[in-house]
Amino acid sequence: MRCPFCSSDETQVKDSRPTEDNTAIRRRRACATCGARFTTFERVQLRELTVVKKDGQRTPFEREKLERSVSIATRKRPVDPDRIDRMINGIVRQLESSGDQEIPSDKIGELVMEGLAALDSVSYVRFASVYRDFREAKDFEEFIGELSTNVTS
């Protein structure tokens, strides 16, 4: 593993343990060159997934991109980071076990929407505003109106 600070290949694993939900191995590492310490995570990848975008473009699935978008939606919200991580792990597991190697971006977006709806309504609306491409205030009003109708039903 290359050191993120000095790019040396001389790093050592100091400690390994499973994450709380047993979906990854957390490794504490130390660089022999600069002495910096950092953490890496090792996860099982069942298969290589490709995301098919709305315009037909195909790109490799990146868990980090999914984590980033969920992080933006939940920023400054009282949502436990472990719950967010479990939600992301569940989405990735669903995608990998679906049997499809090519996943439409819409499917990923809908899975994130479902997960965020269960976690935090504000994060759900934030994500929806980007995912559904809200352009005006009335787009928010309509979406929240639908959300309120679904909650009271």
Side-chain angles (χ1 to χ4, degrees):
M1 176 64 61
R2 178 168 285 142
C3 174
F5 303 101
C6 72
S7 298
S8 171
D9 288 331
E10 302 290 324
T11 62
Q12 297 176 329
V13 175
K14 295 297 185 182
D15 180 44
S16 285
R17 63 181 68 173
T19 56
E20 284 185 25
D21 61 357
N22 287 321
T23 60
I25 302 291
R26 178 184 180 273
R27 299 196 196 282
R28 284 295 293 157
R29 296 176 178 268
C31 178
T33 305
C34 71
R37 291 181 175 260
F38 57 99
T39 302
T40 60
F41 291 88
E42 181 180 315
R43 288 186 167 76
V44 172
Q45 183 173 350
L46 297 177
R47 65 181 56 163
E48 293 287 326
L49 297 175
T50 302
V51 177
V52 181
K53 309 259 182 160
K54 291 176 185 175
D55 65 1
Q57 180 184 1
R58 287 167 165 66
T59 60
F61 174 77
E62 296 177 43
R63 179 191 175 92
E64 296 77 24
K65 189 172 180 181
L66 177 61
E67 289 171 343
R68 222 175 14 256
S69 64
V70 171
S71 173
I72 290 167
T74 58
R75 184 176 295 146
K76 295 185 180 181
R77 295 295 304 153
V79 182
D80 182 16
D82 288 339
R83 290 185 67 202
I84 295 169
D85 197 44
R86 283 194 299 275
M87 180 193 84
I88 291 170
N89 287 339
I91 291 170
V92 172
R93 248 184 266 120
Q94 274 185 276
L95 295 173
E96 288 180 337
S97 62
S98 72
D100 298 328
Q101 193 162 351
E102 292 191 343
I103 309 292
S105 60
D106 290 351
K107 181 175 183 174
I108 298 169
E110 290 303 323
L111 290 173
V112 172
M113 294 275 288
E114 287 174 21
L116 287 174
L119 281 183
D120 180 64
S121 58
V122 172
S123 300
Y124 174 67
V125 172
R126 284 179 180 171
F127 185 84
S129 71
V130 174
Y131 176 64
R132 297 216 174 138
D133 197 25
F134 292 177
R135 299 274 184 200
E136 301 173 16
K138 73 177 175 71
D139 296 335
F140 283 95
E141 291 171 8
E142 290 171 6
F143 183 77
I144 291 172
E146 291 172 19
L147 181 61
S148 299
T149 304
N150 292 338
V151 170
T152 57
S153 298

